Amino acid sequence: MAKTLEDKIKNIDTLIDNGRVKNKDTEKLKVTENVFDEATLKALYTLSNKGIIEALGGSISTGKEANVFLADGKDHNLAVKIYRITSSTFNSMEDYIMGDPRFRDVRHTKKDLIFAWTKKEYRNLLRAGEVGIKVPKPITTERNILVMEFVGKDEKPYPLLKDVQLDEASAKKVYDILINYIKKLYEDAELIHGDLSEYNVLIETELVEPILIDMGQSVTLEHPRADQFLRRDIQNIARHFKKYGIKSDETELYLFVTKDKKEQNHDSH
Ligand SMILES: Nc1ncnc2c1ncn2[C@@H]1O[C@H](COP(=O)(O)OP(=O)(O)O)[C@@H](O)[C@H]1O
Ligand SMILES: [Mg+2]
């Protein structure tokens, strides 16, 4: 049965209220209230009115800059990532902007930065998916909210790479896929993840395959720190798989990832 608009809005209101009641403790209450500030409420109403979010479920994660919630879409479960307007990282961004006469309207500017960041994560996920890398399919953005496919089973997200214990063969398989994903991302999507580690890789448990997440900070190859970010991504993956006895030479990995692209570029000049 189709829900009326009023039902949908009531639903979101109720869920927000539930969140507040559940998180009565000081710290958590603050977080909950920060998430649902005015901009976020507006965005949630819009997503509800458009029929994209039918109901907002429980909290999956509370990170430094964003909260992730489970939600019901029309046909599928969704993951809803809400960037906090009042997050500390963006406050430090504000520090750089304050005092610069071009950015007099700081509140406005800060919000715009976060909205742009949200769109950037959407586009990065889309681009990664298009070149054949497993990522959650992005669905839409609305202000500071990114709606994407929920990756998990029975309403539980797949575990993070850091939390799984792989057998030797699976570890090698996941490692190989990840190195090839870094290369594909670099070569075909012309992107560098920028925060790749065991904290931003989910393991699809049935297939024992990695899924990359968290691409808000991903950069294109022209970014002044692209090379530094790429080396760090490679280092993090190499380090994590050492505990499985997988030895790797980070310089060699770097060459493996970059050499074909660099040759291509060289040939075309
Ligand atoms: N599409 C998704 N499906 C299921 N769980 C997700 C999804 N995206 C994120 N998560 C969960 O939320 C957590 C935080 O997401 P992430 O994008 O890494 O945000 P943060 O910037 O806070 O690190 C992840 O570790 C994962 O458990
Ligand atoms: Mg993360």
Side-chain angles (χ1 to χ4, degrees), residues 5 18 54 64 71 82 106 108 128 158 181 193 208 211 226 232 239 242 245 249-250 255-256 258 260:
L5 180 66
N18 286 347
E54 298 210 327
K64 260 201 328 264
I82 303 181
V106 169
H108 179 78
Y158 286 127
Y181 276 179
H193 185 288
V208 198
I211 301 172
R232 194 178 58 193
R239 178 195 29 76
K242 261 191 201 122
D249 179 324
E250 284 158 24
L255 286 174
F256 170 75
T258 57
D260 294 332

Side-chain angles (χ1 to χ4, degrees), residues 7-185:
D7 280 344
K8 286 181 191 166
I9 291 176
K10 218 163 72 195
N11 192 344
I12 285 186
D13 277 341
T14 311
L15 282 155
I16 292 165
D17 283 343
N18 286 347
R20 287 216 175 104
V21 175
K22 255 190 269 159
N23 294 328
K24 248 189 190 129
D25 317 340
T26 50
E27 267 303 281
K28 280 192 181 151
L29 177 68
K30 235 168 58 195
V31 170
T32 310
E33 286 189 333
N34 284 347
V35 168
F36 298 119
D37 60 12
E38 206 182 319
T40 305
L41 278 174
K42 267 192 203 156
L44 282 171
Y45 284 133
T46 305
L47 289 166
S48 167
N49 291 345
K50 286 182 179 167
I52 293 164
I53 297 180
E54 298 210 327
L56 202 60
S59 163
I60 297 174
S61 153
T62 304
K64 260 201 328 264
E65 287 137 21
N67 295 49
V68 180
F69 295 88
L70 177 68
D72 292 342
K74 251 205 297 290
D75 312 305
H76 299 283
N77 279 334
L78 305 170
V80 177
K81 184 170 183 177
I82 303 181
Y83 281 99
R84 286 195 296 278
I85 306 283
T86 45
S87 87
S88 53
T89 309
F90 288 111
N91 281 334
S92 69
M93 198 184 272
E94 192 179 344
D95 287 344
Y96 290 95
I97 291 166
M98 289 256 256
D100 184 326
R102 291 172 304 168
F103 299 107
R104 235 175 236 131
D105 186 359
V106 169
R107 259 199 70 75
H108 179 78
T109 306
K110 191 165 104 183
K111 254 196 235 163
D112 283 346
L113 279 177
I114 293 168
F115 297 168
W117 186 267
T118 310
K119 282 210 181 96
K120 184 156 91 99
E121 175 154 30
Y122 173 91
R123 279 198 300 264
N124 290 340
L125 287 171
L126 196 66
R127 213 152 131 179
E130 278 166 0
V131 303
I133 292 164
K134 264 201 191 172
V135 293
K137 190 170 157 355
I139 293 164
T140 192
T141 65
E142 185 64 42
R143 294 170 162 257
N144 54 325
I145 301 182
L146 166 65
V147 181
M148 60 188 143
E149 168 198 8
F150 174 80
V151 285
K153 217 187 150 192
D154 301 331
E155 309 211 328
K156 276 182 66 183
Y158 286 127
L160 288 170
L161 174 59
K162 80 172 178 70
D163 294 323
V164 296
Q165 185 57 43
L166 302 167
D167 62 39
E168 203 176 309
S170 307
K172 180 76 176 107
K173 173 176 139 181
V174 170
Y175 170 81
D176 284 341
I177 296 175
L178 283 173
I179 297 299
N180 279 290
Y181 276 179
I182 298 176
K183 185 177 172 75
K184 217 185 237 294
L185 204 57

Side-chain angles (χ1 to χ4, degrees), residues 194-212:
D195 194 17
L196 195 60
S197 77
E198 61 275 31
Y199 288 83
N200 283 325
V201 175
L202 301 184
I203 298 295
E204 186 170 358
T205 36
E206 296 87 349
L207 301 168
V208 198
E209 278 184 16
I211 301 172
L212 306 191

